[in-house]
Amino acid sequence: MILEAQGLARAFGGLRAVDGVDFALRAGEIHALIGPNGAGKTTFVSLLSGRQRADAGTIRFDGADITRLPAHDRVARGIAYTFQITSIYAGLDVFANLALAVQRQRGADLAADVRAAAARVGLQDHLATRAGELSYGHQRLLEVGMGLALQPRLLILDEPTQGLAAAEIAGFIALIRSLVPATTVLLIEHNMEVVMDLAQRITVLNFGKVLATGSPEEIRANPAVQAAYLGTPDA
């Protein structure tokens, strides 16, 4: 396992957003995290990435305890979270945004590395465009491109297809498939067609707890998941 969480918990006042979650992520897999709104998904991945501190529990990455490490140290170990690490700078162009990420892993030619990162997410024709002028879908692709530029071992994506057109979603699916097994991918996603097409395993959260984990087929057939989230097969 590349990442393991045991008894992970986080509360906000009286609300237990994450309530004693045990979770294991296999190296080289695409793993989806799904559940109703308010199930604790974003809080959970924020704990994994270091964006928020856990109230209880432990997180191990590649065998090392990272529970108390700050986010930047987790990035250095190979964890990238798009909503935290790759926030775009609206006043800078696409090239500059990508360069900020690329320079952390810089090779001999920064410009060439930036162009390669842009091409990977289909933004090679937008390098001179201010990030704030991109469509929302292209801004999401820029976030993904910045995350990939960090060359992470674990890439966490929070709603990556939101705002993408159908053709862009197809390209995104192809891109994510190309990352494994060198990169492990954990994604929160509400588009169930994307989840069922991409994920090798799925974990369902509900009220801050793990409701089920399994293959797409197992999750689709699980009565508890149907009742809480997916609806009945005939619905």
Side-chain angles (χ1 to χ4, degrees):
M1 298 295 174
I2 191 170
L3 182 142
E4 294 178 276
Q6 292 186 327
L8 212 57
R10 172 73 178 189
F12 300 95
L15 174 64
R16 292 179 177 269
V18 176
D19 190 5
V21 168
D22 294 335
F23 178 78
L25 190 59
R26 298 169 182 165
E29 75 172 340
I30 301 172
H31 195 122
L33 189 65
I34 67 172
N37 289 332
K41 303 181 299 294
T42 293
T43 300
F44 177 65
V45 296
S46 294
L47 298 178
L48 298 183
S49 66
R51 186 183 184 190
Q52 296 181 22
R53 283 291 188 92
D55 295 330
T58 59
I59 306 167
R60 300 187 71 83
F61 181 68
D62 197 22
D65 189 336
I66 63 167
T67 310
R68 300 302 171 192
L69 285 184
H72 63 88
D73 283 340
R74 301 188 198 198
V75 172
R77 288 174 181 257
I79 300 176
Y81 176 33
T82 55
F83 267 21
Q84 178 193 358
I85 306 305
T86 64
S87 298
I88 67 170
Y89 294 89
L92 300 179
D93 61 23
V94 169
F95 184 98
N97 272 271
L98 289 170
L100 290 171
V102 166
Q103 67 184 359
R104 292 183 63 99
Q105 305 290 337
R106 184 175 176 180
D109 190 335
L110 177 64
D113 289 344
V114 168
R115 288 193 294 269
R120 203 170 188 188
V121 292
L123 294 178
Q124 63 272 20
D125 295 330
H126 299 275
L127 287 171
T129 304
R130 286 164 57 102
E133 296 173 357
L134 294 171
S135 68
Y136 181 72
H138 280 167
Q139 288 182 10
R140 299 308 313 273
L141 290 174
L142 177 57
E143 290 180 337
V144 173
M146 292 173 71
L148 291 176
L150 294 170
Q151 299 180 14
R153 299 176 61 199
L154 169 58
L155 178 64
I156 302 174
L157 301 169
D158 196 339
E159 296 290 349
T161 68
Q162 184 178 359
L164 298 187
E168 292 172 328
I169 290 176
F172 169 81
I173 289 173
L175 170 64
I176 296 305
R177 284 193 177 128
S178 75
L179 300 180
V180 296
T183 302
T184 304
V185 178
L186 174 62
L187 72 154
I188 296 174
E189 182 56 65
H190 279 294
N191 186 324
M192 292 310 299
E193 289 186 8
V194 172
V195 169
M196 294 299 175
D197 194 11
L198 263 182
Q200 295 155 307
R201 287 200 303 152
I202 300 169
T203 292
V204 185
L205 288 185
N206 195 31
F207 297 111
K209 295 178 178 291
V210 173
L211 182 62
T213 295
S215 69
E217 294 76 17
E218 291 169 334
I219 294 301
R220 196 192 299 272
N222 187 304
V225 176
Q226 292 172 10
Y229 185 56
L230 296 180
T232 63
D234 295 327

